[in-house]
């Protein structure tokens, strides 16, 4: 692990130029939360926004691979760590513990206080510059990492959280607890996304409901939350993520592209009117 140094916060750095901050939450692992975070960021960027991703899933930092950002050294400037950019135009910025590991297979075996300290630095000491939206990809559940993020965001404006679920009752049940967490901590729920909502056949493009369907929408109704939309399980999307390719650029005619774009636009409209 590269040495993590304490840095004095420069008032011109950090999140001072970040317009909107959104948490991406899930009640359980395996629902595709990092996938949704990545694709939302790409959709927002293609819509002309400057976007950042803060990956605080400390034990499973997968977003660098999804964005095809290989091993890179994180540099420092007067106002903190300089984020890693996933594109030449510097319109998609990323910070992840994955950049601080000397070996990508290294396990992060840390107790709570050390995790909390790193998250504090990630929130306060990354020189994001001017961003329209910063998405914060969190671990599953409601753990120390979530509380650390909220504590450190108190001096910044947190717009709210997007909750990711799959259609099955076992997943929506876990998201209910996430909704309770948001209410107890005063976090506004911006909406619920149902991921893996049907399977898109790679041959005929027909969408089959291999899981149950509609759990996310029903949960939104029961809890008075906004249902942002459904994203199908699409082999083209899975391949793009594995190869670190931009799905939103490669498959603009797909139903999955339309679904993600619609969710991103609804989210953006909600942020701009909040």
């Amino acid at each position: 692990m590269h040495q993590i140094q304490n840095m004095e916060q420069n008032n011109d750095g950090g999140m001072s130029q970040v317009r909107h901050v959104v948490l991406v939450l899930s009640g359980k692992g395996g629902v595709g939360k990092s996938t949704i975070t990545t694709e939302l960021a790409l959709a927002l960027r293609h819509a002309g926004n400057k976007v950042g991703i803060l990956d605080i899933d400390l034990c499973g930092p997968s977003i660098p691979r999804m964005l095809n950002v290989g091993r890179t050294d994180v540099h420092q400037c007067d106002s903190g760590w300089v984020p890693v950019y996933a594109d030449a135009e510097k319109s998609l910025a990323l910070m992840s513990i994955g950049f601080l590991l000397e070996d990508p297979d290294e396990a992060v075996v840390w107790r709570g206080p050390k995790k909390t300290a790193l998250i504090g630095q990630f929130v306060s000491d990354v020189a994001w510059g001017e961003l329209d939206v910063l998405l914060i990809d969190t671990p599953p559940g409601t753990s120390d990492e979530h509380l650390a993020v909220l504590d450190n965001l108190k001096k910044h404006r947190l717009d709210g959280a997007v909750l990711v679920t799959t259609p099955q009752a076992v997943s929506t049940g876990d998201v209910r607890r996430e909704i309770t967490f948001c209410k107890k901590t005063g976090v506004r729920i911006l909406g619920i996304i149902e991921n893996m909502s049907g399977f898109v056949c790679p041959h005929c493009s027909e969408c089959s409901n291999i899981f149950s369907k509609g759990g996310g929408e029903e949960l939104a109704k029961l809890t008075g939350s906004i249902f942002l939309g459904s994203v199908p399980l699409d082999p083209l999307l899975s391949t793009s993520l594995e190869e670190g390719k931009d799905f939103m650029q490669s498959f603009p005619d797909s139903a999955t592209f339309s679904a993600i774009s619609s969710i991103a636009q609804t989210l953006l409209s909600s942020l701009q009117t909040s």
Side-chain angles (χ1 to χ4, degrees), residues 22 24 33-54 63 66-67 86-87 91-94 128 131-137 193 241 246-249 260-261 263-265 267-268:
V22 177
V24 183
K33 174 180 48 56
S34 295
T35 295
I36 293 297
T37 301
T38 300
E39 297 309 317
L40 277 179
L42 290 170
L44 290 168
R45 188 194 70 166
H46 285 303
N49 299 282
K50 288 187 176 181
V51 187
I53 300 176
L54 176 55
I63 290 182
M66 291 180 175
L67 290 175
D87 61 333
S91 58
L92 180 52
L94 172 63
W128 293 106
L131 290 181
D132 294 299
V133 183
L134 175 65
L135 301 173
I136 303 181
D137 185 42
I193 298 173
L241 291 166
D246 186 341
F247 173 84
M248 302 302 292
Q249 185 176 49
I260 296 170
S261 295
I263 290 170
Q265 189 55 53
L267 175 61
L268 190 61

Side-chain angles (χ1 to χ4, degrees), residues 190-259:
L190 297 168
I192 296 174
I193 298 173
E194 182 178 288
N195 193 27
M196 306 182 196
S197 181
F199 172 75
V200 178
C201 175
H203 303 293
C204 67
S205 298
E206 181 179 342
C207 189
S208 303
N209 296 322
I210 57 173
F211 302 131
S212 56
K213 182 176 175 62
E217 187 170 10
E218 184 65 24
L219 180 61
K221 289 179 181 177
L222 288 173
T223 59
S225 306
I226 297 172
F227 182 64
L228 293 172
S230 303
V231 179
L233 189 61
D234 189 336
L236 294 175
L237 175 56
S238 301
T239 301
S240 295
L241 291 166
E242 285 292 316
E243 297 177 354
K245 295 181 178 177
D246 186 341
F247 173 84
M248 302 302 292
Q249 185 176 49
S250 301
F251 301 101
D253 297 325
S254 69
T256 304
F257 172 94
S258 298

Side-chain angles (χ1 to χ4, degrees), residues 67-82:
L67 290 175
N68 196 27
V69 180
R71 291 190 61 188
T72 182
D73 291 328
V74 175
H75 301 286
Q76 295 181 10
C77 64
D78 291 341
S79 53
W81 281 325
V82 179

Side-chain angles (χ1 to χ4, degrees), residues 156-171:
H156 306 285
R157 180 170 181 240
L158 173 63
D159 289 79
V162 169
L163 278 59
V164 181
T165 185
T166 52
Q168 306 98 312
V170 67
S171 179

